[in-house]
Amino acid sequence: MKTKIVYLVALLCALTFSTSAFADAETGFYEKDHIRGFISIGGDYRGMLDAFQKYVNSTAFWNDGHELKANDSATTTEHFSGTFSYPQFDNWYIGLHVNIGAQYKQFLTWFNINFMPTQISEKSSDTYTVSSESGNSAKMPLFDVKWFTYGADWMFGWKLFGENTFINLIPSVGFGFNLINFHMASIFDIKDQSSSNVVKMRDRYYSTMALSLAAELEFRLEFGPFGIGIYGGYRYIDYNELEVEGKRLTNYAYDTDNCGDTWFVGLRLTWTFMSDWERKQADKL
């Protein structure tokens, strides 16, 4: 994962440097005073692929038991396990985003900062009963199971019908990163298959990161600087293994295929600011 992060940062720096170099050149290929900044907010319905829903539910409700002492005087531990009941997570969620970018004639580029409300599966009780093969039993705490995701994409788009037309179609593609966060049901113990080393989960979120690729198409109506658009698209994500207290939480039932792909459709409101050239023309009037 560190290699992916370094690669992404290096690529962003290289692209930013090359863009700045062109902008500073006296004979650059664009006129800087025609650049217009914009900001937009939006919300969308995000449909999860079956594989993504399976990944979320199999990870969020992961249960590999507990390593506990049989009683207060015991010096060795036993493996305790039990079952609990939670509502499964649905195959969709509401996504929100903020876009901050720039437009030069028909070309647009922006950062899409996307996030979502936390999805919660509530516990049915404060504890559940676990037992060992020797017949010993114990009570272990239960927590609400939660997950959410957030990230950012660097997008590039093009206005097909012109720079300032009332109706426009804007296809775009981009890349970025995404994080997914899980809060599990209890303080499970994770034990290496090849050793006796055990780590214990805590009452907290655990996260993993992945690169993302996105493509979308927006149908926009523009009323001067204000625009309203309907958009849809697809985001590809393949998450890294979730690490818990330094150990990978490999989900054998899911075959470690950590799909995070979604399709989405939503509504976006955009405000485009005047360029320096437009402000100078307005001052002349």
Side-chain angles (χ1 to χ4, degrees):
M1 182 175 72
K2 292 181 179 178
T3 303
K4 291 182 178 179
I5 296 174
V6 171
Y7 172 76
L8 177 60
V9 171
L11 182 59
L12 289 174
C13 291
L15 289 172
T16 302
F17 175 79
S18 61
T19 302
S20 300
F22 279 119
D24 291 339
E26 294 182 1
T27 59
F29 68 86
Y30 67 85
E31 301 170 275
K32 290 187 293 184
D33 60 355
H34 282 255
I35 296 175
R36 307 169 66 190
F38 67 84
I39 186 170
S40 69
I41 58 173
D44 49 49
Y45 173 97
R46 299 187 184 181
M48 303 163 64
L49 295 193
D50 290 342
F52 187 14
Q53 184 188 18
K54 184 178 179 183
Y55 166 62
V56 166
N57 282 313
S58 61
T59 302
F61 301 115
W62 186 88
N63 177 6
D64 204 30
H66 309 266
E67 301 294 320
L68 304 172
K69 291 183 179 180
N71 53 61
D72 293 339
S73 62
T75 57
T76 59
T77 60
E78 293 182 295
H79 182 76
F80 286 72
S81 61
T83 59
F84 44 69
S85 178
Y86 282 83
Q88 296 283 292
F89 291 110
D90 293 327
N91 63 349
W92 63 275
Y93 60 93
I94 298 299
L96 305 170
H97 68 251
V98 176
N99 292 344
I100 302 173
Q103 172 183 331
Y104 179 70
K105 297 184 178 179
Q106 292 173 250
F107 174 73
L108 303 98
T109 184
W110 67 93
F111 288 103
N112 178 353
I113 304 167
N114 59 85
F115 50 96
M116 61 176 282
T118 302
Q119 305 296 294
I120 302 174
S121 183
E122 295 183 353
K123 61 185 179 183
S124 57
S125 62
D126 291 333
T127 62
Y128 81 117
T129 301
V130 295
S131 58
S132 66
E133 291 184 354
S134 64
N136 294 308
S137 63
K139 292 283 189 180
M140 295 302 296
L142 283 178
F143 314 120
D144 291 341
V145 176
K146 308 172 188 178
W147 78 277
F148 69 95
T149 182
Y150 62 90
D153 294 318
W154 188 5
M155 303 293 294
F156 304 88
W158 187 265
K159 288 186 169 182
L160 294 181
F161 299 158
E163 180 181 2
N164 297 310
T165 58
F166 173 64
I167 298 176
N168 229 314
L169 278 178
I170 308 173
S172 60
V173 296
F175 63 94
F177 67 92
N178 222 75
L179 279 87
I180 192 167
N181 308 269
F182 293 100
H183 190 294
M184 277 69 166
S186 189
I187 49 174
F188 302 112
D189 290 307
I190 306 174
K191 183 177 181 179
D192 283 342
Q193 300 296 320
S194 58
S195 71
S196 59
N197 187 23
V198 175
V199 296
K200 187 180 295 292
M201 282 188 180
R202 291 183 286 162
D203 181 9
R204 52 156 289 187
Y205 281 99
Y206 293 99
S207 307
T208 186
M209 179 180 176
L211 296 181
S212 60
L213 298 174
E216 69 174 48
L217 178 65
E218 178 183 356
F219 173 77
R220 183 185 296 181
L221 301 178
E222 292 191 345
F223 306 88
F226 175 74
I228 181 169
I230 298 173
Y231 66 94
Y234 191 91
R235 179 172 284 105
Y236 166 81
I237 302 171
D238 186 14
Y239 287 109
N240 296 317
E241 293 293 345
L242 187 69
E243 287 195 3
V244 175
E245 305 301 326
K247 291 188 179 297
R248 289 186 176 183
L249 189 70
T250 303
N251 197 322
Y252 298 102
Y254 196 66
D255 196 26
T256 69
D257 184 13
N258 304 335
C259 173
D261 292 12
T262 56
W263 58 268
F264 52 88
V265 59
L267 182 68
R268 176 179 295 149
L269 305 177
T270 301
W271 184 268
T272 304
F273 302 99
M274 296 177 66
S275 66
D276 290 342
W277 182 85
E278 289 174 317
R279 282 192 289 269
K280 291 177 183 177
Q281 299 307 307
D283 292 341
K284 293 178 181 180
L285 298 178

